[in-house]
Amino acid sequence: MKDGPDIARLAALIGDPARANILTALMSGKALTASELATEAGVSPQTVSSHLRKLEEGGLTTVLKQGRHRYVSLSGDDVAQALEGLMGLAAGRGHLRVRTGPKDPELRHARVCYNHLAGERGVQMFRAMRACGHLALDGDAVTLTDTGTRFVTDLGIDLAELEKSRAPMCRECLDWSARQYHLAGTLGRAMLTRMEHLGWMSRASEGRVITLTTQGAARFDTLFMPDRASQSV
Amino acid sequence: MKDGPDIARLAALIGDPARANILTALMSGKALTASELATEAGVSPQTVSSHLRKLEEGGLTTVLKQGRHRYVSLSGDDVAQALEGLMGLAAGRGHLRVRTGPKDPELRHARVCYNHLAGERGVQMFRAMRACGHLALDGDAVTLTDTGTRFVTDLGIDLAELEKSRAPMCRECLDWSARQYHLAGTLGRAMLTRMEHLGWMSRASEGRVITLTTQGAARFDTLFMPDRASQSV
DNA sequence: TTCATAGTTCGATCATAATCGAAGCATGGA
DNA sequence: TCCATGCTTCGATTATGATCGAACTATGAA
């Protein structure tokens, strides 16, 4: 009995170490060049060329050519979502790197997941916004409430700009480290960008770790603590 | 940069066709013997023995020995969840079997997903129960309401029995065919079992298709149509 | 125009792992 | 006890696919 989608082919695409490293690097949401990805994966340019072709043919990545540069990115949110799901299962089953790097705790604390905030901080933010009634849930749908609209507008987010996009504004994304949900979608992205702009947090030039400044952490905790968020609004 | 969980190893486990077939068969929620899985995967007993060892070591399956029989099952809901996520991505990317069998539409309509109802029917049920206020959502948490308690009790479900289990009673499970959520957890399982008992639907002896009787479909639609469910309670 | 850089294609190499025949062990039934 | 059945282990075979050196194409800058 062989029915339903063919997960073997898709999983085999992800199951090569070099390709897994490429996909993981692309989880930052950045579009990276083939050369950068060759460095990330630790293989030669010719090898990465071959891998990228397979990923593109499999529908996991898209490529944008600009002159002699080819910018590669994940082909959509759903790829990121499935990868996070695999990460969650891998973490839950103890499938960890042999050498857990010094960045592991930092990744768990705060990291970028396809351009939005993930890790403990991401979960904290999502939970606080729900607790304060800024976000409402209806099944799989997450919507911004009236108080939420005021909240994010006060924070400096241009909602009119977000509404121009056809992508969902709010979406739940299962966090592999916290095993809870954090906020994805265009609003999730805008929140991270805004907090970077405010100087609360910054992304490393390489990798996915997000670092909060001392002041940024304080401001973040002020805004996103459930029993304190009400007072600030 | 090689950080976070090792998805390559896990994906490679799933990425072998024989093992993917095994895991897909186990999505029915039944515990199957090694011989049955050898038939499912279309390989010899010695090959399946080798594959099962890998899946068990990887934490994806558990084995229960009874005499000379070894009963294999998925090691948890989270495995089923990640597999469904991969199925969704595979379906969305057109990674389908070369020969889409005659069972494909039936699988999309109603199928068993780790012992609970999936497919269009599963989504319909979950949606209707939320619309009628029988289920309440708070982030990732799904809870049975007072009206929901009465509803399922009237349907013949023994909630006291369900509450004895440590497993979550209600959980959302993303449906690969419908791209929406259906109800999982012990309640989701109990609902399917109950409707089978009422003769509304039955599982094929092999595979995961669920067939509704004419009368069963009528009763199902009566109970789980959002604008009609209120009248029946 | 020349040179440097980004990236692809070709083909050979080689490591890996799925596969099954043969043999053996464990269990159950007559 | 003997035979049948379920399952595992061992070892050889073979197909697959990742890999990179060599060579090439395309683009950009001086």
Side-chain angles (χ1 to χ4, degrees):
Chain A
M1 189 218 37
K2 303 183 173 86
D3 50 20
D6 183 8
I7 59 171
R9 189 178 159 221
L10 188 59
L13 274 182
I14 302 166
D16 172 71
R19 286 200 291 275
N21 284 333
I22 288 167
L23 293 168
T24 302
L26 294 175
M27 284 290 283
S28 73
K30 294 181 201 168
L32 300 175
T33 62
S35 299
E36 287 170 330
L37 290 172
T39 302
E40 287 287 345
V43 292
S44 70
Q46 44 268 54
T47 300
V48 89
S49 186
S50 170
H51 284 309
L52 291 180
R53 180 172 183 157
K54 288 184 167 92
L55 289 174
E56 192 181 359
E57 284 172 353
L60 296 186
T61 57
T62 56
V63 177
L64 178 68
K65 279 173 58 174
Q66 281 189 8
R68 64 191 178 179
H69 291 287
R70 291 168 51 86
Y71 289 94
V72 185
S73 52
L74 295 182
S75 61
D77 265 7
D78 52 349
V79 180
Q81 205 168 3
L83 289 175
E84 280 267 350
L86 278 178
M87 286 175 182
L89 185 58
R93 291 294 182 276
H95 288 254
L96 303 170
R97 307 286 176 167
V98 181
R99 287 186 307 116
T100 306
K103 287 184 181 170
D104 227 55
E106 291 166 275
L107 276 170
R108 290 171 180 269
H109 185 60
R111 71 182 180 272
V112 60
C113 164
Y114 211 48
N115 279 314
H116 59 260
L117 181 63
E120 289 153 15
R121 289 296 186 174
V123 171
Q124 176 185 341
M125 182 178 84
F126 189 48
R127 180 178 288 143
M129 289 179 76
R130 284 170 6 231
C132 294
H134 299 329
L135 295 173
L137 277 78
D138 177 29
D140 51 327
V142 184
T143 53
L144 194 63
T145 63
D146 289 342
T147 69
T149 298
R150 285 195 296 273
F151 177 74
V152 299
T153 304
D154 288 347
L155 192 58
I157 284 164
D158 181 359
L159 280 177
E161 196 64 43
L162 295 193
E163 276 161 351
K164 287 180 189 170
S165 171
R166 304 186 66 139
M169 188 182 287
C170 305
R171 181 178 61 77
E172 294 179 307
C173 180
L174 187 62
D175 193 290
W176 67 258
S177 56
R179 313 304 298 270
Q180 312 261 2
Y181 288 97
H182 58 244
L183 179 65
T186 56
L187 180 61
R189 297 177 184 199
M191 297 287 284
L192 175 57
T193 304
R194 182 62 185 150
M195 287 186 281
E196 284 179 280
H197 217 250
L198 290 170
W200 296 0
M201 52 184 67
S202 60
R203 306 186 205 185
S205 57
E206 289 196 340
R208 297 190 288 144
V209 172
I210 290 179
T211 307
L212 280 78
T213 64
T214 305
Q215 187 175 29
R219 294 296 303 139
F220 187 89
D221 282 337
T222 299
L223 264 198
F224 298 118
M225 271 316 231
D227 52 351
R228 284 191 256 173
S230 308
Q231 299 173 12
S232 68
V233 174
Chain B
M1 189 219 35
K2 303 183 174 87
D3 50 20
D6 183 9
I7 59 171
R9 188 177 160 220
L10 188 60
L13 274 182
I14 302 167
D16 172 72
R19 287 199 292 274
N21 285 332
I22 289 167
L23 291 169
T24 302
L26 294 175
M27 284 291 284
S28 73
K30 292 181 199 164
L32 300 175
T33 62
S35 300
E36 287 170 329
L37 290 172
T39 303
E40 286 286 346
V43 292
S44 71
Q46 43 268 55
T47 300
V48 89
S49 186
S50 170
H51 283 308
L52 291 180
R53 181 173 181 157
K54 288 185 166 92
L55 289 173
E56 193 181 357
E57 283 173 353
L60 296 186
T61 58
T62 56
V63 177
L64 176 68
K65 279 172 57 174
Q66 280 190 11
R68 63 191 178 182
H69 290 286
R70 290 167 54 86
Y71 290 93
V72 185
S73 53
L74 295 183
S75 62
D77 264 6
D78 53 350
V79 180
Q81 207 169 357
L83 290 175
E84 280 266 351
L86 278 178
M87 284 176 184
L89 185 57
R93 291 293 183 277
H95 289 257
L96 302 170
R97 306 286 175 166
V98 179
R99 288 185 308 116
T100 307
K103 286 184 181 172
D104 226 53
E106 292 166 275
L107 277 169
R108 289 171 181 271
H109 184 62
R111 72 181 181 272
V112 60
C113 164
Y114 211 49
N115 278 315
H116 59 261
L117 182 63
E120 289 154 11
R121 289 296 185 174
V123 171
Q124 176 185 343
M125 182 178 85
F126 188 48
R127 180 177 288 144
M129 289 180 76
R130 284 170 5 232
C132 293
H134 299 327
L135 294 174
L137 277 79
D138 177 29
D140 51 328
V142 184
T143 52
L144 195 62
T145 63
D146 289 342
T147 69
T149 298
R150 285 195 295 274
F151 177 73
V152 299
T153 303
D154 287 347
L155 191 59
I157 284 165
D158 181 0
L159 279 177
E161 197 63 44
L162 296 192
E163 277 161 351
K164 285 180 191 170
S165 171
R166 305 186 64 140
M169 187 182 287
C170 306
R171 182 177 60 78
E172 294 178 308
C173 181
L174 185 63
D175 193 290
W176 66 258
S177 57
R179 312 304 296 270
Q180 312 261 0
Y181 288 96
H182 58 245
L183 179 65
T186 55
L187 180 62
R189 296 179 185 195
M191 297 286 284
L192 175 57
T193 304
R194 181 62 184 152
M195 288 185 283
E196 285 179 281
H197 216 251
L198 289 170
W200 296 2
M201 53 184 66
S202 61
R203 306 185 204 185
S205 58
E206 289 197 335
R208 297 190 289 144
V209 171
I210 289 179
T211 307
L212 280 78
T213 64
T214 305
Q215 186 175 29
R219 293 297 301 142
F220 188 90
D221 283 337
T222 300
L223 263 197
F224 298 118
M225 272 315 232
D227 52 351
R228 282 191 256 170
S230 307
Q231 298 174 13
S232 70
V233 176

